[in-house]
C-alpha cells in the first residue's frame, strides 16, 4: 500500500478533496446488502481521512498506487501484553 505524504494537515486535506472530486464523490448512498441506491442514506464524500504520522507529516492512502510505502516508524508502536 502506498501513501501520499504532506507537510501540513491543510495540504493533505486539500489533496484528499481533489482526489474525492476526481473520483466523483459524493455519491448516493447504497444499501451494502442489496446494492440498491438509497438516496436518503449516508453518501460517500471522501476517499480517505488524512492521518498525522510520528514525524509530524500528514498522509493518506493513495488511490492510484502513486506515493511511498509506509515507514516502519510512522505509526505509534503498541506494547505487547502477555
Amino acid at each position: 500500500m502506498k501513501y501520499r505524504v504532506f507537510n501540513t494537515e491543510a495540504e493533505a486535506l486539500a489533496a484528499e478533496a481533489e482526489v474525492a472530486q476526481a473520483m466523483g464523490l459524493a455519491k448516493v448512498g447504497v444499501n451494502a446488502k442489496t446494492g440498491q441506491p438509497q438516496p436518503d442514506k449516508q453518501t460517500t464524500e471522501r476517499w480517505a481521512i488524512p492521518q498525522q504520522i510520528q514525524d509530524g507529516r500528514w498522509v493518506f492512502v493513495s488511490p492510484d498506487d502513486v506515493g511511498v510505502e509506509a515507514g516502519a516508524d510512522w505509526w505509534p508502536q503498541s506494547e505487547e501484553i502477555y
Side-chain angles (χ1 to χ4, degrees):
M1 181 177 313
K2 293 196 177 179
Y3 292 83
R4 295 190 182 182
V5 182
F6 303 90
N7 290 321
T8 68
E9 181 180 23
E11 290 173 347
L13 290 170
E16 189 279 329
E18 287 179 21
V19 168
Q21 183 178 20
M23 294 175 82
L25 304 175
K27 296 192 179 289
V28 172
V30 175
N31 182 301
K33 186 174 184 179
T34 66
Q36 296 299 310
Q38 290 187 297
D40 60 328
K41 301 297 181 187
Q42 178 72 34
T43 59
T44 302
E45 298 172 347
R46 303 184 72 172
W47 163 252
I49 297 173
Q51 298 178 6
Q52 190 171 28
I53 57 178
Q54 289 202 57
D55 67 5
R57 295 179 298 164
W58 291 80
V59 300
F60 65 84
V61 175
S62 177
D64 53 13
D65 209 34
V66 173
V68 299
E69 296 289 336
D73 62 344
W74 279 16
W75 315 111
Q77 302 300 313
S78 60
E79 295 181 28
E80 292 186 33
I81 300 173
Y82 296 98

